Amino acid sequence: MLGALWDKRALLVSGKGGVGKTTLSAALAVAAARAGRPVLLVELAPDEGGPSPLGALVGAKDAGPRVTEVRPGLHFVRLAASEGHRHFLQDTLPLRWLADAALRSRALRRFLEAGPALREMGLLYQMLALVRRTRPDGRFMYPLCIIDLPATGHALAIAALPRRVLTIMPGGPIGRTVREGLDLLQDPARTAVLLTSLPEPLPVSEALALAGELERLELPLAAAILNRMPEDPFTPESRVALQRLLAAHGPHQGIRALDRLERARASHARLAAGVQAPLLTLPELPVTGPELVERLAEAFTPPEAGVLAREALP
């Protein structure tokens, strides 16, 4: 399973807020780098300003639109619509200085920042520019890009953007770029979506609804991940004995923990039945922040880590 993920060009980590999506993105990137797969960790945030939660988890000192190396094999970037607009103008205008001059126009910058679709176009264009980037020998600079998607509504808006734009501008430089983005997002050979949830009824309901939206947009769901799964110490036999004990002697001090285990088991079964993809679980660990990232990365690091993976050619 993990070997197949490392062979993708783009991993899109999606899910509702608060389910550990950003921590999971960081852990996957650390694991890929440990396995010898050069990786670019991408934060796709609707707000370009402010602190970067994802950058802090991997120790990125510069959380901006320029790619920075945070450890061997692992680079980080925070996408910015303005940077995507710059790339687009440089690619479409005959001279680079014309693009720079255009972006110095306050009226043009206001126009590009005003419409949500134009902001999303900028983010998509910068992402494509990074995915396309190659070394002098023709190999991809970043064979694997792991993208931490923002809140669900904004992420789906970006995913739905190519279809909307193509109905209006099927040709020209914008149409070609959007079609390239759509081809990448919908190609299961190059892209995989990881859907993150928690073992609780409401997050699972939200994850199932999101899985339906991903299917509608034809985005390839590769796996669902149930995060912070509590450890269940009971065998089926001991669980039956415990239920008899509780029935005979009434509520116990640990009844809340037992109820949480039951909810987790039921949530796992419900998510497994509701998504047409493998379901993985991650343990609940007593650490947070960068330490949690490193611990979770161990769960994703294959035994042959350290052996360089093959690098993709365009």
Side-chain angles (χ1 to χ4, degrees):
M1 174 69 187
L2 290 177
L5 291 181
W6 298 160
D7 285 340
K8 303 295 183 185
R9 294 298 332 278
L11 294 184
L12 310 180
V13 184
S14 185
K16 291 286 187 177
V19 298
K21 173 177 58 66
T22 297
T23 300
L24 174 62
S25 301
L28 285 165
V30 170
R34 287 179 182 174
R37 184 68 164 171
V39 59
L40 176 64
L41 179 60
V42 179
E43 184 173 49
L44 205 164
D47 180 14
E48 296 177 16
S52 167
L54 182 59
L57 286 174
V58 293
K61 296 180 181 178
D62 181 14
R66 305 294 181 182
V67 176
T68 59
E69 186 177 29
V70 296
R71 66 175 69 188
L74 173 56
H75 291 75
F76 173 80
V77 67
R78 191 179 201 188
L79 295 191
S82 57
E83 190 70 12
H85 295 150
R86 180 182 300 278
H87 281 293
F88 177 75
L89 291 173
Q90 289 174 349
D91 288 349
T92 53
L93 294 178
L95 297 172
R96 185 187 183 96
W97 67 266
L98 287 176
D100 294 337
L103 285 173
R104 283 197 294 270
S105 165
R106 185 174 301 175
L108 177 61
R109 289 203 310 272
R110 284 178 183 162
F111 172 73
L112 292 172
E113 295 167 0
L118 294 174
R119 287 198 71 257
E120 291 153 2
M121 272 293 299
L123 294 172
L124 178 64
Y125 202 89
Q126 189 190 4
M127 182 179 75
L128 286 173
L130 292 169
V131 170
R132 292 191 200 114
R133 190 174 294 180
T134 56
R135 303 177 188 273
D137 61 5
R139 293 179 300 167
F140 284 119
M141 182 80 72
Y142 311 112
L144 173 64
C145 296
I146 297 178
I147 303 167
D148 178 26
L149 294 177
T152 302
H154 192 77
L156 291 177
I158 293 172
L161 174 69
R163 290 185 179 186
R164 297 203 307 268
V165 174
L166 285 176
T167 61
I168 303 171
M169 293 175 284
I174 293 179
R176 287 194 297 271
T177 298
V178 167
R179 196 175 298 280
E180 181 184 355
L182 185 62
D183 289 343
L184 172 66
L185 291 173
Q186 293 182 337
D187 183 1
R190 294 183 292 164
T191 298
V193 179
L194 302 177
L195 178 58
T196 316
S197 184
L198 293 177
E200 293 286 343
L202 181 56
V204 166
S205 294
E206 293 172 338
L208 291 174
L210 180 53
E213 288 297 309
L214 294 173
E215 183 177 5
R216 180 181 66 82
L217 294 170
E218 299 179 46
L219 299 181
L221 178 60
I225 297 178
L226 209 51
N227 194 21
R228 303 178 201 159
M229 190 71 179
E231 182 182 1
D232 187 350
F234 300 106
T235 64
E237 294 78 12
S238 62
R239 185 175 296 277
V240 171
L242 178 63
Q243 293 299 331
R244 286 200 302 265
L245 183 66
L246 290 174
H249 298 282
H252 188 270
Q253 214 170 17
I255 195 67
R256 288 186 180 179
L258 291 173
D259 288 343
R260 182 166 178 257
L261 279 178
E262 288 301 318
R263 290 198 306 273
R265 292 175 68 244
S267 297
H268 183 281
R270 185 175 167 220
L271 190 58
V275 295
Q276 303 300 311
L279 176 58
L280 308 177
T281 60
L282 289 175
E284 186 174 41
L285 297 172
V287 291
T288 59
E291 185 178 355
L292 177 59
V293 168
E294 299 294 332
R295 292 277 298 275
L296 289 177
E298 295 174 4
F300 290 114
T301 304
E304 64 274 14
V307 179
L308 288 177
R310 67 181 183 276
E311 295 192 17
L313 292 171

